[in-house]
Amino acid sequence: MNTFIHRSIDGERERLKNITLTLFNASFIYNFIGILIKTLIFMMIIGDDKASKLNTEIINIKNPSLLIYISFITIALSLGFLFRKAKWSFLVINAVITLIYLGDILYYRSNSSFLNPHMLQLTSNLEDLSHSIFSLFRSIDLLLIADILIFIPFSIYMKPNNYRRKSVFALLFLISGIFLLSTYINLDVINAEERDEKFFSVSWAPNETMYALTPIGYHIVDAVKFIRESKPLELDPHEKEEIYSWIAGQKENLPDNNFKGRLKGKNLLIIQVESLENFVIGQEVEDQEITPYLNKLLKNSIYFNNFHEQTYKGTTSDAELISNTSILPVRSGSTFFRFPNNHYPGSLPNLLKKRGYSTVAAHADKGSYWNWVNALSSIGYDKCFDITAFEEDEKIGMGLSDESFFKQLVDIIEKQGQPFLNFAVTLTNHGPFTLPEEHKELKLEQELEQSILGKYFHTVRYTDKHIGMFLEELDKRGILDNTAVVIYGDHEGINKYYADEVEKLPEKYHFALENDLRVPLIIYSKNIKGKVFDTTGGQVDTLPTLSYLMGIEDSELEEATIGRNLLNTNKDFVVTALGEHKGKAEHPEEIENRIKSLEISDKIINSNLFKIEDE
């Protein structure tokens, strides 16, 4: 009996010894320390305004819980004990986490947000984007992969792990999981009322969730949120009433002015220009105009110089959505991918089709890119021409050159029939702003010429030139006499992706940084006398403003749009995609109410409210 007891005790000791030795496995410890360090590096990178250097102060400012960091990393690495060759399984887990970290940082640099499950729908967008993605890398990113590079030679001296593994996995997983669960219950359940935002949730400011939970925890929480959001949103009568009451409360009901109906009956040509920022309008570099043709158009244009982009994770596609519907994009994923078949009765094409207009959208890219053909068809365009409708005779950067696109678009417009609405989207001015030497017209100093800002100036000048040639050809064919032309930028380009690179240039070029999300909105017609409006507004105001000029009654837009008419307003503000209020307000409650437009739009789109109401 004693012999049996001693054997049992010896067996338990041996198992405990094996578990202890396994926990102190060199590969596990190495990768654990590596992931912990790169997690802190990740936080310091996103703590920098441009995510291009380490902000060491952010750790002290945010004071993250090291136990939470350790718990999430332990849960991730514990999975390595389920595989035979644990030494390499830890490295594979480390490599996967590193790829996610790098992806988060690159996406953050371009969109001020992080990767999410909805992006699995966007894989068709990756084609032709390799140059743009590569241009977002910074030397600081090498710190995130340093431990993996060092591991290879270091692994030669590591002994393979032959001890029990499932018990170690269970031990680490349970201890870490219990700690995180107890933290969740304590912060988000018991003491929830003391907090404005739940701790284990993806907040409107995703950086805060990253600081609190690490990217591992962030993506776990975001995945849970994704599963919940995959279910159709059903609004109860009270929620619907709240939406319509909010929309009604934004109306100003002012008397009409002389802009009402100024463009009534005219054809409408809308040109959405890739990455066109407002600071280039009227600006010179090395004594040369950057946009000479657009500057010329201003003599017969209504020009809004304090007009802001409001795109979010759908970037260019979001600009198409906002401008055509006066509804802001959803807060998770791309609206065009998640909800391509939504109904918008108050959209610009739907409003003009009631007046006998033919409606065409044209973009010289694949129709699957951002799912824009399906989405624009649902928004109301009768025909959508993608790259298959164009001869690919000259490619620059991401696709068909703007020169070729506009030349071929002239014939499409001439055959379209009048009155028409034509919505055209350009491509060449897309980052990283590559342009063949033979197309460059600006003479720049060497330092500027070799910089990303110099490249941007060249592509902007190129697009400006071919917009001019395009409109001149329409004029020769007699089409421009009865056509109003709307030109706006879809989103920032140089400031959105490369502001940190511009900061390295001499101060004389820093005027490029003074943009603050502004894109130009230019409404041109031969019978208009040039006028500049300083009113603060955004892309959501495009549709109401154009409708006013086209003589469309406000009653047709009510309950279907959230923007305002910038030609007849006493309000001066915009709400950015990140929930920032710019402009004037009489009291904080007014600002809070305006920011609610993000929530209102999100509910409208998630529930497909307007289609349900029509039914």
Side-chain angles (χ1 to χ4, degrees):
M1 184 70 169
N2 289 335
T3 303
F4 176 77
I5 293 173
H6 283 300
R7 285 178 180 176
S8 298
I9 293 173
D10 289 341
E12 289 302 317
R13 285 176 178 172
E14 185 64 23
R15 280 191 285 272
L16 182 60
K17 177 184 176 182
N18 288 344
I19 290 174
T20 304
L21 288 172
T22 303
L23 283 171
F24 284 95
N25 173 271
S27 178
F28 174 81
I29 294 174
Y30 179 93
N31 285 282
F32 179 88
I33 294 173
I35 295 173
L36 180 58
I37 291 174
K38 76 179 62 186
T39 299
L40 296 174
I41 290 172
F42 177 94
M43 300 307 173
M44 288 187 279
I45 291 176
I46 67 169
D48 176 60
D49 289 340
K50 305 295 188 301
S52 60
K53 57 185 178 182
L54 298 180
N55 178 5
T56 56
E57 292 296 318
I58 200 69
I59 302 299
N60 292 328
I61 294 171
K62 298 301 177 183
N63 191 26
S65 169
L66 196 59
L67 286 176
I68 289 179
Y69 281 32
I70 289 172
S71 296
F72 276 117
I73 295 171
T74 300
I75 284 177
L77 274 183
S78 68
L79 299 173
F81 289 110
L82 296 175
F83 300 92
R84 286 185 178 181
K85 296 183 178 181
K87 178 171 72 174
W88 297 109
S89 65
F90 297 135
L91 180 65
V92 170
I93 293 171
N94 188 350
V96 171
I97 290 173
T98 301
L99 286 174
I100 293 172
Y101 282 26
L102 285 170
D104 278 329
I105 285 176
L106 295 181
Y107 195 69
Y108 181 74
R109 284 184 183 132
S110 62
N111 295 285
S112 298
S113 186
F114 303 102
L115 301 176
N116 61 80
H118 292 294
M119 294 186 67
L120 295 174
Q121 301 171 301
L122 311 183
T123 53
S124 62
N125 289 356
L126 296 178
E127 189 175 347
D128 297 325
L129 274 177
S130 57
H131 291 297
S132 297
I133 294 172
F134 184 76
S135 70
L136 295 173
F137 277 96
R138 301 291 182 266
S139 57
I140 197 74
D141 300 341
L142 294 175
L143 292 176
L144 296 176
I145 62 173
D147 65 313
I148 294 177
L149 298 177
I150 295 171
F151 181 88
I152 307 300
F154 184 60
S155 65
I156 297 173
Y157 302 99
M158 292 182 184
K159 294 181 180 180
N161 182 0
N162 296 318
Y163 302 109
R164 292 179 63 186
R165 302 180 184 90
K166 291 183 180 179
S167 57
V168 178
F169 158 74
L171 178 66
L172 293 177
F173 194 92
L174 284 174
I175 291 176
S176 300
I178 290 171
F179 171 75
L180 291 173
L181 180 61
S182 63
T183 304
Y184 164 75
I185 293 173
N186 180 51
L187 295 178
D188 287 1
V189 179
I190 297 176
N191 298 305
E193 294 181 359
E194 299 177 8
R195 305 177 61 86
D196 294 330
E197 186 79 36
K198 287 190 175 182
F199 193 81
F200 286 81
S201 68
V202 177
S203 66
W204 291 104
N207 295 50
E208 299 303 319
T209 307
M210 282 289 185
Y211 296 135
L213 303 180
T214 80
I216 300 171
Y218 175 96
H219 289 297
I220 291 174
V221 171
D222 196 38
V224 173
K225 180 183 177 185
F226 171 76
I227 294 171
R228 290 174 177 171
E229 290 177 344
S230 62
K231 302 176 183 178
L233 177 63
E234 296 183 6
L235 301 177
D236 59 39
H238 173 73
E239 289 176 305
K240 292 179 183 179
E241 178 60 30
E242 183 182 27
I243 291 173
Y244 287 123
S245 295
W246 183 90
I247 294 176
Q250 309 310 303
K251 306 304 178 183
E252 295 183 78
N253 299 316
L254 301 174
D256 288 330
N257 58 36
N258 59 0
F259 285 103
K260 178 67 180 288
R262 178 74 67 87
L263 302 178
K264 187 175 183 179
K266 285 185 175 290
N267 304 313
L268 191 58
L269 169 61
I270 301 176
I271 304 174
Q272 178 174 296
V273 182
E274 173 66 42
S275 300
L276 180 63
E277 300 192 35
N278 189 71
F279 79 88
V280 298
I281 305 298
Q283 181 68 50
E284 292 186 355
V285 59
E286 320 294 7
D287 297 322
Q288 302 161 88
E289 288 183 286
I290 302 173
T291 58
Y293 192 82
L294 292 182
N295 297 343
K296 180 182 176 182
L297 284 186
L298 296 184
K299 297 176 182 178
N300 294 98
S301 298
I302 299 168
Y303 168 41
F304 296 93
N305 66 354
N306 205 12
F307 185 78
H308 299 73
E309 68 150 296
Q310 294 173 289
T311 65
Y312 198 41
K313 296 179 181 179
T315 58
T316 295
S317 66
D318 282 349
E320 297 174 46
L321 167 80
I322 303 168
S323 300
N324 278 286
T325 67
S326 189
I327 301 293
L328 295 169
V330 292
R331 312 310 298 163
S332 297
S334 161
T335 304
F336 275 17
F337 267 98
R338 291 186 61 198
F339 307 100
N341 301 314
N342 271 25
H343 190 54
Y344 304 94
S347 72
L348 187 60
N350 281 331
L351 291 171
L352 291 181
K353 279 195 293 187
K354 293 179 181 178
R355 289 157 174 79
Y357 279 65
S358 67
T359 59
V360 168
H363 187 14
D365 213 326
K366 291 183 178 179
S368 60
Y369 195 70
W370 290 111
N371 208 23
W372 77 270
V373 165
N374 287 344
L376 286 184
S377 295
S378 293
I379 284 174
Y381 283 96
D382 291 326
K383 295 181 180 179
C384 294
F385 293 101
D386 69 352
I387 189 59
T388 59
F390 297 86
E391 180 184 352
E392 297 183 65
D393 51 2
E394 182 186 41
K395 291 191 70 175
I396 296 178
M398 284 189 61
L400 187 66
S401 71
D402 286 351
E403 178 180 7
S404 177
F405 173 64
F406 282 130
K407 283 181 178 178
Q408 297 182 63
L409 186 59
V410 171
D411 291 332
I412 291 175
I413 290 176
E414 192 168 39
K415 296 174 183 177
Q416 187 174 343
Q418 300 188 30
F420 67 74
L421 164 63
N422 190 286
F423 180 68
V425 182
T426 74
L427 194 58
T428 302
N429 195 41
H430 193 287
F433 316 117
T434 55
L435 192 68
E437 290 295 324
E438 63 269 22
H439 289 299
K440 295 181 179 179
E441 295 192 353
L442 295 171
K443 305 298 180 184
L444 307 178
E445 293 181 3
Q446 185 176 8
E447 185 175 17
L448 180 60
E449 176 68 32
Q450 295 176 349
S451 71
I452 193 71
L453 180 60
K455 293 178 180 179
Y456 179 69
F457 287 154
H458 281 303
T459 53
V460 170
R461 175 65 175 260
Y462 169 87
T463 298
D464 173 84
K465 173 183 177 179
H466 291 292
I467 288 176
M469 295 177 68
F470 169 56
L471 296 183
E472 287 171 1
E473 182 60 30
L474 291 177
D475 198 19
K476 289 178 183 177
R477 301 191 187 191
I479 297 174
L480 206 58
D481 291 336
N482 192 40
T483 299
V485 182
V486 179
I487 300 171
Y488 67 89
D490 60 351
H491 53 69
E492 287 185 312
I494 199 72
N495 279 288
K496 190 176 184 69
Y497 305 105
Y498 310 102
D500 60 312
E501 296 293 302
V502 178
E503 287 180 342
K504 299 175 184 177
L505 293 171
E507 192 172 339
K508 65 179 180 179
Y509 299 124
H510 287 185
F511 64 84
L513 299 171
E514 299 171 3
N515 194 67
D516 193 27
L517 293 177
R518 291 181 301 150
V519 293
L521 173 61
I522 299 169
I523 305 172
Y524 165 85
S525 180
K526 286 186 175 182
N527 68 336
I528 287 180
K529 183 178 179 181
K531 185 177 178 64
V532 178
F533 281 82
D534 297 322
T535 307
T536 304
Q539 289 166 326
V540 76
D541 305 317
T542 305
L543 169 57
T545 303
L546 292 179
S547 296
Y548 194 71
L549 287 165
M550 300 296 288
I552 298 172
E553 296 301 323
D554 292 343
S555 58
E556 296 186 57
L557 279 69
E558 289 177 359
E559 297 189 346
T561 59
I562 68 168
R564 71 190 194 282
N565 168 21
L566 297 179
L567 292 168
N568 192 20
T569 179
N570 291 327
K571 300 177 181 179
D572 188 78
F573 77 95
V574 67
V575 174
T576 72
L578 296 180
E580 181 184 3
H581 181 278
K582 295 178 181 292
K584 303 172 184 176
E586 294 182 1
H587 45 77
E589 290 77 14
E590 187 175 12
I591 293 176
E592 184 178 344
N593 183 58
R594 290 170 177 176
I595 292 176
K596 198 174 181 180
S597 61
L598 299 170
E599 176 189 339
I600 294 294
S601 291
D602 199 66
K603 287 183 177 181
I604 288 173
I605 295 174
N606 271 277
S607 65
N608 198 7
L609 176 64
F610 296 142
K611 181 178 182 179
I612 294 173
E613 293 302 297
D614 278 0
E615 292 174 350

